[in-house]
Amino acid sequence: MKIVLLGAPGAGKGTQATKIAEKYGITHISTGDIFRKNLKEGTPVGLKAKAYIDKGQLVPDEVTCEIVAERLKESDCKNGFMLDGFPRNVFQAEALDKMSEIDLVLNIAVELDKLMARLTGRRVCSKCGESYHISTFAEKRCPKCGGEIIQRADDTEETVGKRLGVYAEQTKPLIDYYSAKGKLESVDGMKPIDEVFAQIEKLLDSRN
Ligand code: AP5
Ligand code: MG
């Protein structure tokens, strides 16, 4: 199945994508993770992306679309994939239409005013990328892989504010874009993580 995970910053795209990949074995592609990996490795793409990520802005479409087009050609995408964080505006959605036929767009619906606390309290594993939250987690090492727990550089109050603004202006219109194509299904992302996943399982199982 070819899935797009849609949702505001902090909606839980990465959290749910990990669970979907574990249960259904679907390849998880996060453009944010790809940029952060490039940044860590000091590649030209990483250096270019850094300026935008630090400001909470979108990396230019031509860079992002090229990365996704190349990634979708890899063999682990032959039987399907799950995009997390792409597309993020109508230009990218139209570019994706030319790359592949998406089966399902899963919109994780959240209340935007609750997301600041989720994101400023998020901690991630520097090795495997797993997300945690300070309200329930105080370890210094990742329980899954032993990697160091860090805070993402763009999870400051100022940058989160800008990311939420970019979402409202550029990404939210994709709800209507995919709804008009009959591809959109929404789940309630304000529920606890396992309940959100149960809603997603129901949707995916009904299609298998
Ligand atoms: P990206 O990495 O995609 O970040 P984002 O969209 O801002 O989303 P997040 O990763 O912050 O949130 P998430 O929905 O994955 O939430 P998570 O599961 O971690 O992009 C970063 C930057 O890269 C962009 O700003 C841009 O510059 C660039 N970029 C990326 N893609 C691009 C593109 N296509 N075009 C241009 N530029 C691009 O959860 C968040 C927290 O909440 C965690 O602590 C988690 O434990 C907790 N949580 C999750 N679910 C729940 C729940 N149900 N209840 C309570 N807590 C929960
Ligand atoms: Mg994420």
Side-chain angles (χ1 to χ4, degrees):
M1 194 164 356
K2 295 171 181 171
I3 303 173
V4 164
L5 280 177
L6 204 58
K13 301 181 297 294
T15 302
Q16 297 301 329
T18 303
K19 294 171 91 62
I20 295 167
E22 268 169 20
K23 174 157 182 188
Y24 297 94
I26 303 176
T27 299
H28 172 203
I29 302 169
S30 155
T31 40
D33 287 349
I34 293 173
F35 288 134
R36 282 183 289 276
K37 183 168 181 280
N38 274 278
L39 190 55
K40 213 169 158 185
E41 292 167 357
T43 69
V45 163
L47 294 176
K48 178 150 196 197
K50 184 180 181 341
Y52 297 91
I53 294 175
D54 285 353
K55 287 191 211 129
Q57 294 169 354
L58 296 185
V59 177
D61 289 334
E62 65 269 21
V63 178
T64 312
C65 292
E66 170 73 15
I67 282 176
V68 173
E70 287 307 310
R71 181 66 185 85
L72 294 185
K73 287 180 193 157
E74 288 181 33
S75 58
D76 61 350
C77 295
K78 272 208 183 90
N79 297 324
F81 52 80
M82 169 175 45
L83 286 165
D84 155 6
F86 183 92
R88 253 179 153 92
N89 57 28
V90 171
F91 182 92
Q92 292 181 9
E94 287 172 351
L96 178 60
D97 287 342
K98 289 176 198 140
M99 293 177 213
S100 192
E101 171 84 22
I102 297 300
D103 301 304
L104 172 67
V105 177
L106 269 176
N107 177 44
I108 306 180
V110 283
E111 293 161 33
L112 291 189
D113 58 356
K114 302 274 162 54
L115 298 179
M116 182 60 83
R118 269 202 198 179
L119 286 171
T120 52
R122 171 170 58 185
R123 298 294 180 271
V124 294
C125 173
S126 58
K127 204 166 152 198
C128 72
E130 183 73 9
S131 280
Y132 300 99
H133 197 273
I134 50 168
S135 58
T136 52
F137 184 83
E139 310 297 320
K140 290 197 164 51
R141 293 272 156 193
C142 176
K144 281 199 169 173
C145 75
E148 189 192 355
I149 298 296
I150 56 162
Q151 182 170 21
R152 254 171 60 175
D154 61 346
D155 277 349
T156 60
E157 209 168 315
E158 191 189 351
T159 311
V160 169
K162 289 186 185 150
R163 286 159 60 201
L164 291 171
V166 168
Y167 168 78
E169 199 182 296
Q170 300 195 45
T171 312
K172 208 166 170 231
L174 294 183
I175 294 177
D176 288 340
Y177 180 90
Y178 285 116
S179 188
K181 288 180 183 286
K183 292 187 192 281
L184 192 89
E185 295 280 2
S186 284
V187 295
D188 180 357
M190 296 314 294
K191 295 268 192 292
I193 290 169
D194 287 340
E195 285 182 36
V196 179
F197 186 57
Q199 296 173 58
I200 293 175
E201 280 177 307
K202 218 169 155 187
L203 283 170
L204 295 183
D205 291 345
S206 71
R207 290 176 173 250
N208 277 334

